[in-house]
Amino acid sequence: MTSTTPTRATEDPAIAPAVAQALATVRRNAVTFAGSYPDDTTRAGRYPLRPAGDGFGVGANRGWTTSFVPGAQWVAWELSGDDGMRDAALAHARDFARRVREGDDLETHDLGFLYSLSCVAPWRLLDDEDARSAAILAADHLMRRLLEPAGIIQAWGDLSDPQQRGRTIIDSLMNMPLLTWAAEQTGDDRYADAVRRHTAQLRDHILRPDGSTFHTFYWDTETGAALRGATEQGAHDDSCWARGQAWGIYGFALNHRALPDAGLLEASRRCADYFLDRLPEDGVPFWDLVYTDGSDAPRDSSAAAIAVCGLFELAGLETDAARAARYTEAADGILTSLITLYAPGQSDESDALILHGVYDLPKGVGVDEGTLWGDYFYLEALARRTAGPSWRPVW
Ligand code: GLY
């Protein structure tokens, strides 16, 4: 990579049509799914309704991905000023407030993804008090997952589940901004302290010496000792799951911005350097970074979209100008590839914003499909590129 000045949105004729096409799809999906939620991923290019199960009906607000729907609508409103997007997102905020108050499917660290996008966003954009109180309630639920003496937030499952006890995952970095926001809102340092301790544990253990990351890591819940890394969605325990590495770039950078902690900045840089060194020609990673150019393994476009947002964030925090230019240039290049090679040719060809994502290849779930989170981060990346460094993400 060189350190030439990257092309910015205003000079790039590809951006405006890409934004227009993405907005058309978000608008169409808001009509298709009004009052209900699509599934995590497309099936043959179309999102089905979220299936029924675990006591929930078809299209219900459950799981970790439903907030990417209002998240994309808030970004669409910011980009277009279309009040239909604001109203659709506000209706979702009401349903997320109901979800947390009724205690529906809250046994997860993903409360950060869920409530930053659905409820912190309307508080930030519209001073919506109902959304604010729901987001603080969600932050309180998340705090119940803080395990002592390890000082980590358990990722999945009931806290008494022996399979999940003491386990956290790299994605959890993206759930910390809800706690950072709750600390700012309430003045209660317990939230910020949890962020400090959890992120330090990930910095020291989930990041490997070579800059790659484990997907998940276990701690001893009695002694607090760090035990071992393992994968759940990657190729094998010692491989580097591409989306996890992208969560690392973005998550370490966001938590550095909040704390700040030079070790977290360095962790984000190391995740970025490892990720960028393993990209194939078109800049969109294979689903696991053990695969490189020449492989016919599926790509994960969602990892690319997350990495673009993370690289833009990292570039904005960089203390080294050459690195900042390099990360911005890399983000611009990956985003251009997503626009030209991974977005559907026509906005009605698929109701995903980008094609060719992977949810969970080892379990055969959502392979070579659009994903709700890939769509959200693609739109966030377009917003960052359109508005430039002054654009403020919800995280
Ligand atoms: N946070 C879950 C995933 O990235 O699949």
Side-chain angles (χ1 to χ4, degrees), residues 131-183:
R132 177 182 180 277
S133 79
I136 288 175
L137 197 53
D140 289 338
H141 270 279
L142 186 51
M143 286 293 286
R144 290 181 205 158
R145 305 183 71 78
L146 180 64
L147 302 184
E148 299 291 4
I152 57 117
I153 290 185
Q154 182 173 319
W156 293 319
D158 191 281
L159 294 178
S160 59
D161 177 349
Q163 296 296 317
Q164 299 299 347
R165 190 145 176 80
R167 185 186 212 188
T168 197
I169 71 174
I170 183 112
D171 325 24
S172 64
L173 292 167
M174 296 298 295
N175 292 315
M176 297 301 105
L178 179 68
L179 299 182
T180 298
W181 171 84

Side-chain angles (χ1 to χ4, degrees), residues 195-262:
V195 174
R196 203 169 298 115
R197 295 180 64 206
H198 180 82
T199 56
Q201 287 283 40
L202 267 66
R203 178 198 66 204
D204 293 347
H205 298 290
I206 216 160
L207 181 64
R208 302 185 184 110
D210 66 356
S212 67
T213 52
F214 290 109
H215 178 195
T216 87
F217 204 95
Y218 289 90
W219 276 259
D220 185 314
T221 53
E222 299 301 318
T223 66
L227 295 178
R228 68 189 167 89
T231 200
E232 185 70 26
Q233 285 160 251
H236 48 82
D237 287 347
D238 296 324
S239 75
C240 184
W241 178 51
R243 192 159 64 255
Q245 193 74 8
W247 293 136
I249 299 169
Y250 201 4
F252 280 124
L254 288 172
N255 286 295
H256 167 64
R257 188 188 71 201
L259 288 171
D261 166 353

Side-chain angles (χ1 to χ4, degrees), residues 64-65 68 109-110 113 156 169 171-172 175 215 233 241 243-244 247 300 302 306 358-360 373:
W64 74 280
T65 62
F68 293 110
H109 71 141
D110 288 320
F113 279 114
W156 293 319
I169 71 174
D171 325 24
S172 64
N175 292 315
H215 178 195
Q233 285 160 251
W241 178 51
R243 192 159 64 255
W247 293 136
D300 182 7
S302 75
I306 295 159
V358 169
Y359 187 0
D360 188 336
W373 59 92

Side-chain angles (χ1 to χ4, degrees), residues 83-352:
D83 287 344
M85 290 290 90
R86 176 201 59 198
D87 296 347
L90 267 179
H92 287 298
R94 299 293 165 253
D95 196 57
F96 275 86
R98 178 207 56 73
R99 175 172 169 175
V100 72
R101 289 182 185 129
E102 292 180 5
D104 279 357
D105 195 20
L106 304 181
E107 299 304 321
T108 170
H109 71 141
D110 288 320
L111 292 166
F113 279 114
L114 290 167
Y115 283 87
S116 292
L117 290 166
S118 65
C119 288
V120 174
W123 165 249
R124 284 219 167 115
L125 295 168
L126 298 171
D127 292 336
D128 189 294
E129 283 289 348
D130 183 55
R132 177 182 180 277
S133 79
I136 288 175
L137 197 53
D140 289 338
H141 270 279
L142 186 51
M143 286 293 286
R144 290 181 205 158
R145 305 183 71 78
L146 180 64
L147 302 184
E148 299 291 4
I152 57 117
I153 290 185
Q154 182 173 319
W156 293 319
D158 191 281
L159 294 178
S160 59
D161 177 349
Q163 296 296 317
Q164 299 299 347
R165 190 145 176 80
R167 185 186 212 188
T168 197
I169 71 174
I170 183 112
D171 325 24
S172 64
L173 292 167
M174 296 298 295
N175 292 315
M176 297 301 105
L178 179 68
L179 299 182
T180 298
W181 171 84
E184 285 162 11
Q185 290 293 310
T186 62
D188 185 340
D189 277 346
R190 284 176 314 118
Y191 301 108
D193 200 48
V195 174
R196 203 169 298 115
R197 295 180 64 206
H198 180 82
T199 56
Q201 287 283 40
L202 267 66
R203 178 198 66 204
D204 293 347
H205 298 290
I206 216 160
L207 181 64
R208 302 185 184 110
D210 66 356
S212 67
T213 52
F214 290 109
H215 178 195
T216 87
F217 204 95
Y218 289 90
W219 276 259
D220 185 314
T221 53
E222 299 301 318
T223 66
L227 295 178
R228 68 189 167 89
T231 200
E232 185 70 26
Q233 285 160 251
H236 48 82
D237 287 347
D238 296 324
S239 75
C240 184
W241 178 51
R243 192 159 64 255
Q245 193 74 8
W247 293 136
I249 299 169
Y250 201 4
F252 280 124
L254 288 172
N255 286 295
H256 167 64
R257 188 188 71 201
L259 288 171
D261 166 353
L264 298 179
L265 176 63
E266 185 56 23
S268 176
R269 284 174 177 158
R270 288 171 60 203
C271 287
D273 294 347
Y274 188 94
F275 184 90
L276 294 174
D277 278 351
R278 279 155 189 82
L279 293 181
E281 183 74 25
D282 73 0
V284 173
F286 295 97
W287 69 280
D288 192 294
L289 299 181
V290 289
Y291 304 104
T292 51
D293 249 336
S295 170
D296 60 2
R299 305 301 183 92
D300 182 7
S301 60
S302 75
I306 295 159
V308 171
C309 296
L311 289 164
F312 279 140
E313 183 69 30
L314 175 57
L317 296 167
E318 254 305 341
T319 49
D320 173 330
R323 275 182 174 273
R326 193 162 73 86
Y327 294 139
T328 305
E329 184 180 18
D332 281 333
I334 299 168
L335 181 55
T336 299
S337 188
L338 288 175
I339 291 168
T340 53
L341 301 173
Y342 290 79
Q346 303 288 327
S347 64
D348 60 356
E349 181 185 318
S350 168
D351 47 29

